[in-house]
Amino acid sequence: MNRLLSLLLALVALLASAAPHAERVDGLYEAEVWVSDQGAQNRTTALTLALGEVLAKVSGDAGIANQPLFAEALKTPEPLLEQYRYKPADGGRQVLWAQFDAGEVNALLRRGGATVWGEVRPTVLVWLALEQGGQRKLLSANDSGPLQGALVNSGYRRALPLRLPLLDLTDMAKVNVADVWGGFHDGLMDASRRYQAQVVLVGKLATTASGYQVAWTLRQGDQVVRWERSDAAADKLLQEGVETTALRLAGWFGQASAEAPEGGQVLDQGPRNDGITVNVIGVDSLYSYQRVLRYLGGLPGVG
């Protein structure tokens, strides 16, 4: 095994030790958009929307399309396009599936000073306490309905691996809705260990006279971020919570651009290390070796 590969494997082991549970997300540079027909005008509109989805997934920023450089690029998405095709969907409708060039998308994001976040992303465990009809409950992985759907769909759109707790006897021995509602998270964090999630998102969704209010707490190691929002629609609040989480995690785990935005200036980024040396153990089979290489392929900072 040559020196470069040994160094890369060592880096993978070091990063893996800091990430108890991360997942490789699929389709980071792909998107699907509903279309009414296959005409040229609808195709261009759909490709613009698809590229906007991809830029948001890779950067973690749901509002990136509003920035001038990216808004201009979205007017002509074809130069970044690798392939597209139409696919049938439910109800006789159809979608346009598009895949964009990863290198070109990353280069565009770096030109705009945006974060580039790779395919390996931390698992996010979501504890959500709901108040409905005067009753309070915790949302579980076995629930179904519009609120769970809003979380799942938002996680998918932002390429964020979201998980809900099972709320089985093991969980309920440590967690109850009153503790979550009251902000007492010690038992909740203890219960979260079984899921090996690197990130825990805690939400409290309450009804108000004008709609809903949600309070979020995002925990990653010693880092804790809290915020609150209000809206007439509960699903919109959950979507916003996932988008804010993705933006925050992209800042923590993504690779910040070393290029200045157009018209801007690169500030002093501090000292840089040319390498790191650690010992790697446990790579004792071809299967283990291949797993390490696959993990390495999803790390944006290695190249």
Side-chain angles (χ1 to χ4, degrees):
M1 191 180 297
N2 61 45
R3 181 178 179 274
L4 177 58
L5 184 55
S6 298
L7 180 62
L8 293 178
L9 291 176
L11 179 58
V12 168
L14 181 64
L15 292 176
S17 68
H21 194 181
E23 301 179 39
R24 180 187 295 276
V25 295
D26 296 323
L28 191 58
Y29 296 89
E30 304 170 10
E32 291 184 350
V33 178
W34 296 104
V35 291
S36 57
D37 60 57
Q38 298 184 14
Q41 183 174 354
N42 275 339
R43 181 172 62 250
T44 298
T45 300
L47 289 175
T48 293
L49 293 174
L51 179 56
E53 287 285 303
V54 168
L55 291 176
K57 284 196 291 185
V58 180
S59 69
D61 185 356
I64 194 169
N66 298 322
Q67 300 179 31
L69 175 66
F70 304 116
E72 187 65 27
L74 288 171
K75 295 178 181 179
T76 54
E78 289 82 3
L80 282 73
L81 182 66
E82 277 193 342
Q83 56 179 320
Y84 75 91
R85 62 175 178 268
Y86 294 96
K87 300 167 57 177
D90 295 338
R93 297 186 295 177
Q94 59 183 331
V95 298
L96 181 145
W97 171 87
Q99 178 176 316
F100 296 89
D101 184 273
E104 293 295 331
V105 169
N106 292 349
L108 173 63
L109 290 171
R110 292 190 178 103
R111 286 199 301 274
T115 297
V116 176
W117 193 11
E119 294 177 337
V120 176
R121 300 190 170 189
T123 303
V124 180
L125 181 64
V126 182
W127 297 88
L128 181 61
L130 309 172
E131 182 182 68
Q132 294 177 315
Q135 301 294 319
R136 294 172 180 172
K137 61 168 286 188
L138 292 171
L139 194 66
S140 82
N142 299 316
D143 287 330
S144 61
L147 295 183
Q148 186 192 38
L151 278 175
V152 172
N153 290 336
S154 298
Y156 174 77
R157 289 185 64 195
R158 295 294 162 251
L160 197 60
L162 296 182
R163 299 291 178 267
L164 287 165
L166 297 173
L167 295 187
D168 55 11
L169 292 177
T170 301
D171 283 342
M172 299 314 295
K174 300 177 179 179
V175 181
N176 63 69
V177 68
D179 288 341
V180 176
W181 201 266
F184 305 107
H185 294 169
D186 289 346
L188 180 149
M189 297 306 295
D190 188 23
S192 298
R193 293 190 180 95
R194 69 182 291 206
Y195 298 97
Q196 297 183 314
Q198 191 174 358
V199 177
V200 176
L201 177 64
V202 185
K204 183 176 69 174
L205 181 67
T207 55
T208 67
S210 58
Y212 299 88
Q213 182 177 31
V214 65
W216 295 106
T217 302
L218 180 65
R219 296 178 176 272
Q220 193 277 318
D222 294 331
Q223 301 180 92
V224 180
V225 179
R226 295 182 176 88
W227 70 98
E228 296 184 6
R229 295 288 187 273
S230 298
D231 198 88
D235 56 348
K236 184 177 179 180
L237 287 175
L238 298 187
Q239 176 183 331
E240 187 275 340
V242 173
E243 291 177 347
T244 301
T245 297
L247 181 61
R248 178 68 65 171
L249 295 182
W252 288 345
F253 294 98
Q255 182 183 17
S257 175
E259 298 183 33
E262 290 189 358
Q265 179 181 1
V266 177
L267 301 178
D268 181 11
Q269 300 180 36
R272 300 178 59 182
N273 294 323
D274 293 327
I276 184 172
T277 302
V278 296
N279 293 323
V280 182
I281 61 174
V283 184
D284 54 2
S285 67
L286 179 60
Y287 174 72
S288 297
Y289 173 76
Q290 290 173 333
R291 286 190 64 192
V292 170
L293 289 185
R294 285 198 298 271
Y295 186 93
L296 176 64
L299 298 174
V302 178

